């Protein structure tokens, strides 16, 4: 196995979601850089990976710049270095960015072992449009910052994905009522765990639900794009025209439907219109 830095995704709930490659790299690792050494040692033990002979170091946001060089030096010296989060994919609302950036700049071998990422799993569960989405990270906790942050992101024409804590969910949904109005919101909870749920509705409907049923556990909050169908038509018309110039009607429609997750009949109707209008 090549010496270098391996970014390893870990399960976000169900231990069965560890990958075969992750197990192999963890077994061979000399150095494991992680958020919390106790959590990562426990994970290794659960996965039957011997921790003896491996060095564990804790990397946090506040010491990542300083430790990045030390970790890179170990990789250059011939070590197999794993960087992993407590759960999920490194760098995604977790440390690892500074290390990856420095490794790239210095030409050190850097690779990723794909696996669970709460944002992507939540999007898959939500039934919200997945053709275009934006991951926005954690919602700020202070009232004004929260509203500014949500208002700024509401301008983006894509499904928005936020990480949120259970005890702040109702506050965020309440702020969303004015900002997102009737846009569909989804709350995915405890993904891949025993009590996995996903609730959809407007922000107002979800405030009512979660006030009655205070949420527990880990949460991803999502908001659908504004869904103005005229905008959608405008968005794909130009591309549909291009498709029609190069393909037959059936293929052009199929390509657009698959690319944008659209209703086939609507796209078919639009394609006929474009064709008939030359
Ligand atoms: N890097 C991780 C990832 O990509 O999955 C996320 C780390 S971030 C510090 C932790 C947040 O991810 C939680 O507060 C929650 O919003 C979300 N999360 C993690 N595991 C989850 C799960 N099983 N179900 C729902 N949300 C989860």
């Amino acid at each position: 196995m090549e010496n270098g830095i391996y970014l390893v995704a870990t399960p976000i709930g169900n231990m069965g979601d560890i990958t075969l490659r992750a197990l192999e790299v963890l077994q061979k690792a000399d150095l494991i850089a992680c958020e919390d050494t106790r959590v990562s040692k426990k994970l290794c033990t659960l996965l039957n990976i011997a921790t003896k002979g491996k060095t564990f170091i804790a990397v946090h946001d506040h010491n990542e710049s300083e430790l990045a060089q030390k970790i890179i030096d170990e990789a250059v010296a011939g070590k197999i270095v794993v960087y992993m989060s407590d759960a999920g994919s490194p760098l995604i609302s977790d440390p690892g960015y500074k290390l990856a950036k420095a490794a790239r700049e210095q030409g050190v071998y850097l690779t990723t072992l794909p696996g669970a990422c709460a944002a992507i799993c939540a999007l898959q569960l939500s039934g919200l449009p997945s053709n275009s989405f934006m991951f926005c990270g954690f919602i700020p906790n202070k009232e004004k910052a929260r509203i500014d942050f949500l208002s700024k992101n509401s301008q983006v024409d894509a499904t928005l994905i936020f990480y949120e804590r259970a005890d702040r969910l109702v506050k965020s949904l309440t702020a969303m009522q004015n900002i997102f109005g009737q846009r569909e919101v989804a709350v995915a909870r405890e993904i891949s765990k025993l009590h996995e749920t996903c609730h959809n509705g407007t922000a107002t409907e979800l405030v009512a639900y979660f006030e009655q049923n205070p949420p527990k556990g880990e949460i991803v909050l999502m908001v659908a794009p504004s869904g103005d169908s005229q905008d959608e038509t405008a968005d794909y018309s130009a591309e549909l025209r291009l498709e029609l110039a190069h393909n037959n009607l059936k293929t052009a429609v199929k390509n657009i439907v698959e690319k944008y997750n659209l209703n086939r009949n609507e796209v078919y109707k639009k394609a006929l219109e474009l064709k008939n209008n030359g």
Side-chain angles (χ1 to χ4, degrees):
M1 187 173 286
E2 193 162 344
N3 61 297
I5 299 170
Y6 294 74
L7 302 170
V8 176
T10 52
I12 57 169
N14 189 321
M15 281 305 128
D17 295 334
I18 192 77
T19 67
L20 295 175
R21 282 181 72 208
L23 287 176
E24 186 193 353
V25 172
L26 283 170
Q27 238 137 20
K28 295 191 174 149
D30 303 298
L31 174 69
I32 297 184
C34 51
E35 283 182 87
D36 183 331
T37 56
R38 285 163 308 177
V39 172
S40 295
K41 279 181 186 165
K42 197 170 151 200
L43 178 70
C44 285
T45 308
L46 280 171
L47 296 171
N48 275 330
I49 288 164
T51 52
K52 216 168 158 218
K54 297 188 195 301
T55 309
F56 285 78
I57 56 170
V59 180
H60 311 286
D61 280 336
H62 64 267
N63 70 2
E64 189 181 341
S65 306
E66 190 189 314
L67 285 184
Q69 196 53 51
K70 192 173 161 201
I71 294 168
I72 288 170
D73 291 345
E74 294 284 348
V76 172
K79 302 265 170 63
I80 291 171
V81 178
V82 160
Y83 177 77
M84 64 183 187
S85 298
D86 286 351
S89 293
L91 282 82
I92 312 302
S93 285
D94 266 336
Y97 162 70
K98 289 173 192 156
L99 173 64
K101 184 171 186 285
R104 299 281 310 157
E105 282 167 1
Q106 296 178 38
V108 176
Y109 179 76
L110 173 77
T111 192
T112 177
L113 273 68
C117 172
I120 300 297
C121 298
L123 179 66
Q124 291 165 332
L125 270 184
S126 69
L128 301 189
S130 56
N131 55 316
S132 177
F133 60 88
M134 184 162 104
F135 173 64
C136 310
F138 278 97
I139 299 175
N141 186 29
K142 295 220 168 91
E143 182 82 13
K144 185 175 178 318
R146 179 191 293 123
I147 290 172
D148 290 349
F149 178 78
L150 293 174
S151 304
K152 188 185 85 187
N153 285 308
S154 71
Q155 306 301 315
V156 177
D157 185 23
T159 294
L160 306 174
I161 307 175
F162 304 96
Y163 284 162
E164 186 50 292
R165 278 176 30 175
D167 58 342
R168 295 178 184 166
L169 178 66
V170 170
K171 275 191 190 160
S172 287
L173 286 170
T174 304
M176 283 181 170
Q177 292 183 93
N178 283 336
I179 299 165
F180 295 108
Q182 291 304 303
R183 281 166 71 169
E184 186 177 357
V185 176
V187 175
R189 220 178 47 83
E190 296 287 87
I191 300 167
S192 78
K193 302 183 196 175
L194 192 60
H195 299 293
E196 174 182 292
T197 57
C198 186
H199 288 87
N200 292 43
T202 61
T204 304
E205 286 164 351
L206 292 173
V207 167
Y209 177 80
F210 285 110
E211 269 176 351
Q212 290 303 310
N213 305 278
K216 284 193 193 135
E218 300 197 273
I219 283 175
V220 182
L221 182 50
M222 293 153 284
V223 184
S226 62
D228 180 331
S229 61
Q230 280 189 339
D231 281 351
E232 246 177 22
T233 309
D235 280 345
Y236 75 75
S237 286
E239 209 163 335
L240 182 55
R241 210 171 272 124
L242 257 182
E243 283 283 344
L244 287 166
H246 295 102
N247 295 305
N248 62 32
L249 190 111
K250 201 174 152 202
T251 309
V253 170
K254 181 172 170 281
N255 289 347
I256 294 293
V257 166
E258 282 174 3
K259 184 163 180 190
Y260 293 104
N261 248 339
L262 295 169
N263 179 294
R264 212 193 84 86
N265 290 341
E266 267 174 36
V267 179
Y268 190 78
K269 215 170 108 193
K270 182 80 196 163
L272 279 180
E273 245 173 68
L274 291 175
K275 231 178 149 172
N276 293 338
N277 294 335

